Amino acid sequence: MLGDYRETLNLPKTDFSMKANLAEREPAMLEFWKEHRVYENLVDNNRSLGGERFILHDGPPYANGHIHIGHALNKILKDIIVKYHSMLGHYCPFIPGWDCHGLPIELQVDKALGKEKEHVDIFKKRQLCREYAEKFINIQRDEFIRLGIFGYWDNPYITMSNDYEATIVKEFFSFVKNGYVYRGKKPVYWCPSCVTALADAEVEYADKESPSIFVAFEVIEKEKLSIKGLPVYIVIWTTTPWTLPANLALAVHPDFNYVGVKTSKGVLILVKEAIKNLKDKIDIDETPLFEIKGSELEGMAARHPFIDRVPRVVLADFIEIGEGTGIVHIAPGHGEEDYEVGLKYGLDIYAPVDDKGRFIEEVPYLSGENVFKANKLIIEHMRENGSLIWEGNITHSYPHCWRCKKPVIFRATTQWFISMNHQDLRHRALQEIDKVRWIPSWGRERIYSMVEKRPDWCLSRQRAWGVPITLFVCKKCGYIIKDEQLFGKIGELIEKKGSDVWFRLNLDDFLPDYSCPECGSKDFNKEKDILDVWFDSGVSHAAVLERNPMIGWPADMYLEGSDQHRGWFQSSLITSLGNKGRAPYKIVLTHGFTVDGQGRKMSKSLGNVIAPQEIIKSNGADIVRLWVSAEDYRDDIKLSQEILSRLTEAYRKIRNTLRYLLGNVYDYDGKDYQAHLLEIDRWAMMKLQKLIKKVKTAYENFEFHQVFHAIHNFCVTDMSAFYLDILKDRLYTFKADSLDRRAAQWVLYNIADSLIKLIAPILSFTAEEAWQYLPFKKTESVFLDRLPELDESFINDELEAKWEKLIELRDKVNRSIELKRQEKFIGNSLESKIVLQVNKKLKKFLSQYVDFLPFLFIVSQVEIKDLSDQLDEEFIINVERAEGQKCQRCWNYSPMVGKLEIQDVCPRCYHVLKT
């Protein structure tokens, strides 16, 4: 009867289960971190030990709605960096924040109020907005914590808190005192639907179909032209017919050559190169009647096509030909470049459109009409009076409101601005950009070109929910009060009672009997607009970094999506430069956007949205974290169920590697067996050192996809498919306390200890779970230990070269065994005997590994024979059936089985059993 030897084997033992059950296990880890104050202790320990400072300043998400997969991507990237630096011993307090003011919340409150919104006073509305923001701060906080994000969640920064609002006001006052802030009538992006001005960062571009028309302005003064007896027209092209009522001039390029061409309507003036744009649209004689430089057309008068007005020709360098005529109709109240031309030529900044995007009463034919709907009326009117040359449609990229998604207009209104040219602010900003490290490097070009071309910053918003522009302006002369005592009192009051107090008080409450220092008037307007929310978040460096004693100014890193080159990165740079003289960050890292598996934007209409909450429920937060690390965040990041399935399989392989390691050190005695390592053990330790170096370098360079691929490859290729596979026999069948087995356990312990730490910044829950099952650990949490250090003593190029040869040989042997298995010649590889015919060079190399080769190939016997000198090959592999019978303990075959005192075991197992 065959013996049952299972109890004599050293089989793996661990409570670290094969099945992850992350969705059920992770909450227990969260409770463990909270109960043991793991993050707080980590920060405190590193500070007390004088750890190098690394501050990643959190860009505040908007307190509106549940978090989406983009939020998860952003916060997990930050968390990986914070955990990596913390585990290096750096001092990394992470203070999360929320952006609370602004239009999205106010619109949600208006929606809930319905018709009542017209009658609710400003204090009630602001209170409802505050409650709405508080609700979603609490929701999002729990959702971020569930992702395993470390931070001071009980003490975040909130832009609607009294102290933060006071900082906003104080930073604004600094800009006012330093002369950056002015009040002027300028064209700005305006949303007629939301009834407010918009910043550049609040505008999104989307395709829109617009009219495409060529319009004739009849020339009144033809003295400069050699044409008699024929009417002459200046022709413009526009896709915004609704701006024609505001037309005050016609712009040509001074250096372009303009020509007159004959048509059935008369002579049309356009740039010479633009004849091709009209020849397929109208009957035109392409031979010019005259040619004239643009500069010579300056001052020429023409008749407006449908309003009693005489616009004149002006010069402008920005004119391009494109699809048009090389002549641009100028409406100073509806375009940035038009505005600049208007200033140059003293034109009225005329914008006959009200807050809701309707023409005002003075506009003929169009009073009360919505500007976009008026396009048809304008075109029809010009068709009737003969000034319409041609009409069609064009689909082009057009600005839309970031909130309501509707098209916006460019409209001149009286607003508050920060001048980009005062004290050379723009130039200084460009200089600072070049001092910052941008990741990816193209981020520098992106923000540089944006700042180089950006207009003055429009600060004012015509809404209720925000920090008010706390200024008084003289009604008589327009003087802005800049009294230090007044500014101090306002700041103190807001710090005590919040910004609502501004709407309750008047100038007399601050400065009784105050007179304007310019004109002596006592009559002042209290500003009612609120500040752009980008100013709110833009001064977070002052409100958080500077005011919080835990942190300090400036930050080492800002990290957000690539859209923030025109948003938070820019607003932070400008506010910091204006008041501090330098950028608030040293490194700026940007990530792409989440898209589906086909690269499409995620949207409810496409049904391709995957919420992080869904992934957590079905797979666990560590799978979300693994997804963040596995993708190259510098491009758009794809996410689909197929991608999640692949990542779950990759996670399973990493987890099973950890389980094998932990399962085989259950009886390890914790002693140092480095002196007893076999050569394969030294190879494994060398591979571990290379992994440590590669992973830490990848973390340091923010290349987290390299971390994932290196760890996954190490687990699958170096460990599971090779080292751990070969090690099983030694671990399971050798005497428990033999030096060979203990040496193997020493290696496995070192690998487990290092691997758990290396994955901790990414697979935080799994690392912590595994850490709790690791014997002889020095800290209660993996995060309170340090990342592994590189041990150069194990790096051996000669050893690596030898083992590359052995691995190559093993791969070829495995292929030969597999062929025999398919032929049903053998079943398990241990039924094999490998006969290697080798040349002299290889025989010399293999002579040192003769006893080890059966372990390497996982076969019962290996025989080496000489290869005939006549053959040009290095070796030939023959697979034969193993000699002898199967050992019932280790399953190796041996001729000695049946000849020993214990009949059914091999000599090696017999020795173990007898001792």
Side-chain angles (χ1 to χ4, degrees):
M1 183 177 174
L2 298 175
D4 183 354
Y5 297 104
R6 277 177 298 180
E7 294 301 319
T8 72
L9 297 171
N10 313 304
L11 296 176
K13 295 177 188 175
T14 181
D15 289 328
F16 183 75
S17 70
M18 184 184 296
K19 192 169 183 182
N21 285 327
L22 291 174
E24 290 79 33
R25 293 180 197 275
E26 287 172 345
M29 290 295 112
L30 292 173
E31 195 56 41
F32 173 82
W33 291 331
K34 183 178 180 181
E35 184 183 335
H36 293 266
R37 300 184 76 253
V38 167
Y39 179 62
E40 292 82 352
N41 289 336
L42 173 59
V43 174
D44 291 345
N45 292 348
N46 289 347
R47 176 164 54 179
S48 66
L49 292 170
E52 182 184 329
R53 172 185 175 277
F54 186 90
I55 304 301
L56 196 163
H57 180 41
D58 188 30
Y62 202 68
N64 178 25
H66 291 265
I67 69 168
H68 52 67
I69 198 67
H71 287 119
L73 167 70
N74 177 265
K75 276 290 195 292
I76 290 170
L77 282 172
K78 292 172 181 174
D79 191 56
I80 290 170
I81 293 168
V82 168
K83 283 172 176 165
Y84 163 70
H85 278 278
S86 296
M87 291 182 74
L88 284 180
H90 296 166
Y91 173 62
C92 304
F94 181 69
I95 312 291
W98 275 275
D99 205 355
C100 306
H101 296 122
L103 194 55
I105 288 176
E106 190 172 344
L107 290 179
Q108 289 295 330
V109 168
D110 283 349
K111 189 176 174 183
L113 286 169
K115 293 179 181 178
E116 193 187 342
K117 72 179 182 181
E118 305 296 337
H119 311 291
V120 169
D121 69 38
I122 191 168
F123 301 106
K124 176 66 175 174
K125 178 178 268 195
R126 285 170 64 87
Q127 179 58 30
L128 291 171
C129 289
R130 185 172 285 105
E131 289 170 2
Y132 184 94
E134 284 172 350
K135 171 187 171 184
F136 281 104
I137 286 171
N138 292 327
I139 287 171
Q140 291 185 8
R141 184 198 333 251
D142 289 344
E143 291 173 331
F144 284 133
I145 290 172
R146 181 62 188 85
L147 287 167
I149 313 296
F150 279 4
Y152 286 91
W153 293 106
D154 293 333
N155 190 26
Y157 77 89
I158 295 169
T159 62
M160 65 180 182
S161 65
N162 290 2
D163 60 337
Y164 196 105
E165 288 187 333
T167 301
I168 294 170
V169 169
K170 289 170 186 175
E171 291 295 303
F172 174 64
F173 282 156
S174 292
F175 270 89
V176 174
K177 287 185 288 187
N178 291 326
Y180 290 99
V181 177
Y182 69 93
R183 195 165 183 250
K185 187 177 183 182
K186 288 183 68 173
V188 294
Y189 287 116
W190 183 273
C191 179
S193 176
C194 298
V195 195
T196 187
L198 299 173
D200 282 14
E202 295 169 321
V203 171
E204 299 174 342
Y205 282 82
D207 283 350
K208 176 182 180 294
E209 186 175 78
S210 298
S212 170
I213 61 172
F214 288 86
V215 180
F217 286 66
E218 187 176 0
V219 175
I220 300 171
E221 301 167 349
K222 296 185 280 187
E223 290 78 8
K224 295 181 180 179
L225 309 174
S226 56
I227 293 292
K228 292 181 181 178
L230 289 172
V232 180
Y233 302 90
I234 293 173
V235 183
I236 64 97
W237 172 68
T238 183
T239 59
T240 54
W242 66 266
T243 60
L244 285 168
N247 171 269
L248 298 180
L250 300 163
V252 299
H253 196 290
D255 300 328
F256 286 179
N257 292 318
Y258 291 84
V259 295
V261 290
K262 191 174 181 181
T263 68
S264 58
K265 183 174 178 62
V267 178
L268 306 185
I269 297 178
L270 67 166
V271 77
K272 191 175 185 179
E273 291 81 1
I275 294 174
K276 64 182 186 302
N277 294 339
L278 269 175
K279 69 177 184 179
D280 295 330
K281 296 177 174 67
I282 61 171
D283 185 20
I284 189 170
D285 183 347
E286 295 182 46
T287 305
L289 298 175
F290 62 83
E291 187 169 327
I292 188 170
K293 261 284 193 269
S295 56
E296 295 179 48
L297 293 171
E298 186 178 21
M300 182 179 285
R303 188 173 287 114
H304 191 285
F306 57 88
I307 290 175
D308 186 14
R309 189 184 300 149
V310 179
R312 290 185 177 272
V313 174
V314 295
L315 304 180
D317 290 332
F318 63 80
I319 306 297
E320 294 176 348
I321 301 165
E323 297 176 61
T325 65
I327 305 170
V328 173
H329 105 78
I330 297 296
H334 290 302
E336 179 67 26
E337 290 169 325
D338 301 47
Y339 169 77
E340 297 293 340
V341 170
L343 289 183
K344 178 181 174 183
Y345 283 91
L347 304 175
D348 183 18
I349 310 303
Y350 180 55
V353 176
D354 69 13
D355 290 355
K356 294 189 176 178
R358 301 169 302 197
F359 283 107
I360 59 177
E361 207 170 300
E362 68 185 60
V363 182
Y365 323 112
L366 302 169
S367 176
E369 287 288 343
N370 172 274
V371 292
F372 295 117
K373 291 179 180 177
N375 280 334
K376 284 186 179 179
L377 298 174
I378 293 169
I379 291 169
E380 187 57 38
H381 187 70
M382 291 192 298
R383 183 183 291 109
E384 289 173 3
N385 71 21
S387 57
L388 183 70
I389 299 288
W390 181 87
E391 78 163 301
N393 288 299
I394 186 172
T395 299
H396 60 150
S397 183
Y398 189 87
H400 289 66
C401 174
W402 71 305
R403 192 65 248 156
C404 69
K405 309 300 181 187
K406 293 179 181 176
V408 300
I409 60 176
F410 223 52
R411 171 178 177 250
T413 57
T414 300
Q415 303 286 348
W416 291 93
F417 297 90
I418 285 179
S419 169
M420 289 301 296
N421 295 321
H422 181 69
Q423 292 187 11
D424 216 11
L425 181 58
R426 186 191 312 279
H427 179 65
R428 289 190 292 126
L430 296 174
Q431 287 181 318
E432 279 300 302
I433 286 168
D434 280 334
K435 297 175 185 175
V436 174
R437 179 185 173 194
W438 299 92
I439 304 169
S441 58
W442 53 255
R444 181 265 177 201
E445 305 304 322
R446 185 173 162 83
I447 192 169
Y448 194 95
S449 64
M450 288 175 173
V451 171
E452 194 174 34
K453 297 171 186 173
R454 72 160 292 153
D456 288 348
W457 184 354
C458 178
L459 284 177
S460 42
R461 297 292 180 274
Q462 293 65 48
R463 302 299 301 194
W465 179 230
V467 174
I469 292 176
T470 46
L471 294 176
F472 292 98
V473 181
C474 178
K475 283 186 181 180
K476 186 176 179 182
C477 71
Y479 175 78
I480 302 166
I481 300 179
K482 301 176 185 176
D483 186 273
E484 288 276 2
Q485 185 183 355
L486 172 66
F487 286 175
K489 285 183 177 180
I490 293 171
E492 287 171 16
L493 208 53
I494 288 174
E495 187 143 19
K496 287 178 186 173
K497 300 184 177 181
S499 61
D500 278 9
V501 72
W502 174 256
F503 300 99
R504 300 183 189 278
L505 300 172
N506 290 307
L507 181 59
D508 284 345
D509 297 305
F510 296 104
L511 294 176
D513 204 33
Y514 185 83
S515 299
C516 174
E518 293 288 314
C519 70
S521 172
K522 293 180 180 294
D523 204 2
F524 293 87
N525 279 324
K526 183 177 75 168
E527 185 55 54
K528 293 179 181 177
D529 285 353
I530 61 169
L531 280 165
D532 175 16
V533 291
W534 288 104
F535 193 87
D536 286 21
S537 58
V539 300
S540 64
H541 61 87
V544 183
L545 300 177
E546 197 171 14
R547 287 176 62 110
N548 190 324
M550 284 186 68
I551 305 177
W553 189 99
D556 291 277
M557 173 178 275
Y558 277 32
L559 185 162
E560 301 300 328
S562 56
D563 56 334
Q564 296 308 317
H565 287 119
R566 63 200 288 260
W568 190 53
F569 301 150
Q570 217 176 118
S571 64
S572 299
L573 176 65
I574 292 167
T575 58
S576 184
L577 266 173
N579 292 337
K580 306 285 186 301
R582 61 156 291 187
Y585 39 66
K586 300 172 186 175
I587 305 169
V588 174
L589 185 149
T590 54
H591 57 78
F593 299 102
T594 52
V595 293
D596 71 9
Q598 299 172 46
R600 299 175 302 175
K601 183 179 178 182
M602 290 191 175
S603 69
K604 290 178 182 177
S605 60
L606 288 173
N608 61 353
V609 174
I610 300 177
Q613 297 85 350
E614 294 172 26
I615 306 173
I616 290 169
K617 189 175 179 181
S618 58
N619 304 90
D622 260 357
I623 299 302
V624 185
R625 299 180 67 93
L626 191 62
W627 164 71
V628 171
S629 74
E631 302 292 324
D632 188 346
Y633 61 79
R634 291 169 291 196
D635 300 317
D636 285 346
I637 305 103
K638 290 182 178 180
L639 178 62
S640 66
Q641 290 302 334
E642 182 190 349
I643 290 168
L644 287 172
S645 295
R646 283 205 307 268
L647 287 170
T648 302
E649 183 57 33
Y651 168 83
R652 192 175 292 118
K653 288 173 179 173
I654 294 170
R655 184 181 181 90
N656 285 345
T657 302
L658 286 173
R659 187 168 186 269
Y660 183 101
L661 295 168
L662 293 170
N664 282 289
V665 295
Y666 71 93
D667 63 339
Y668 172 54
D669 60 11
K671 294 177 183 175
D672 185 355
Y673 292 93
Q674 186 172 339
H676 303 282
L677 299 185
L678 303 185
E679 196 173 280
I680 190 173
D681 300 327
R682 294 195 172 278
W683 174 88
M685 287 300 293
M686 177 176 62
K687 282 292 181 182
L688 176 62
Q689 305 317 308
K690 295 206 165 191
L691 177 73
I692 291 168
K693 183 177 182 180
K694 187 170 187 176
V695 166
K696 288 178 77 172
T697 300
Y699 274 130
E700 193 66 35
N701 294 329
F702 313 106
E703 294 178 332
F704 309 124
H705 60 296
Q706 300 282 9
V707 175
F708 162 74
H709 290 299
I711 288 172
H712 182 256
N713 186 65
F714 177 79
C715 289
V716 173
T717 306
D718 297 334
M719 293 295 104
S720 297
F722 186 69
Y723 182 64
L724 303 184
D725 199 26
I726 293 168
L727 217 56
K728 285 175 184 173
D729 196 48
R730 194 176 3 152
L731 289 167
Y732 298 174
T733 69
F734 279 35
K735 191 168 180 288
D737 60 355
S738 66
L739 285 176
D740 281 353
R741 184 168 178 271
R742 286 290 190 232
Q745 285 185 306
W746 182 87
V747 174
L748 294 188
Y749 184 86
N750 276 276
I751 292 171
D753 179 77
S754 295
L755 187 58
I756 293 169
K757 293 172 188 174
L758 290 174
I759 68 169
I762 294 169
L763 295 175
S764 299
F765 292 99
T766 302
E768 190 66 89
E769 182 191 354
W771 188 255
Q772 300 310 314
Y773 294 109
L774 184 73
F776 310 111
K777 54 183 174 287
K778 297 171 187 173
T779 57
E780 64 179 346
S781 167
V782 64
F783 295 104
L784 296 175
D785 209 336
R786 294 283 178 264
L787 287 172
E789 294 292 336
L790 177 67
D791 187 343
E792 295 278 2
S793 68
F794 285 106
I795 304 297
N796 184 326
D797 293 339
E798 184 184 343
L799 179 71
E800 186 170 28
K802 286 163 72 173
W803 279 84
E804 280 178 7
K805 182 66 180 175
L806 288 169
I807 291 168
E808 179 193 351
L809 183 60
R810 181 179 189 263
D811 288 343
K812 290 178 178 176
V813 167
N814 282 346
R815 283 198 286 272
S816 297
I817 291 172
E818 183 56 33
L819 287 172
K820 289 295 184 181
R821 188 182 284 117
Q822 290 171 11
E823 294 169 7
K824 306 278 195 257
F825 178 72
I826 55 163
N828 189 293
S829 65
L830 289 172
E831 296 173 18
S832 310
K833 173 184 177 181
I834 301 299
V835 178
L836 283 176
Q837 296 179 63
V838 299
N839 64 18
K840 290 177 182 177
K841 183 179 179 183
L842 184 57
K843 184 177 182 180
K844 183 181 179 182
F845 171 72
L846 291 178
S847 62
Q848 58 192 312
Y849 299 106
V850 170
D851 293 336
F852 179 73
L853 289 177
F855 295 99
L856 179 67
F857 300 148
I858 313 180
V859 296
S860 290
Q861 293 122 27
V862 175
E863 183 180 354
I864 296 177
K865 293 183 176 180
D866 291 327
L867 185 66
S868 169
D869 291 338
Q870 295 176 350
L871 295 172
D872 194 31
E873 298 182 56
E874 188 181 18
F875 59 87
I876 294 174
I877 302 166
N878 290 306
V879 180
E880 300 178 358
R881 287 197 65 85
E883 298 169 3
Q885 298 178 56
K886 179 179 177 182
C887 171
Q888 294 303 309
R889 184 172 180 272
C890 70
W891 295 8
N892 278 279
Y893 283 72
S894 168
M896 292 300 293
V897 173
K899 298 179 181 178
L900 302 169
E901 181 185 345
I902 304 174
Q903 291 283 306
D904 53 0
V905 298
C906 67
R908 192 183 69 205
C909 288
Y910 173 79
H911 176 72
V912 172
L913 292 171
K914 292 298 284 183
T915 56

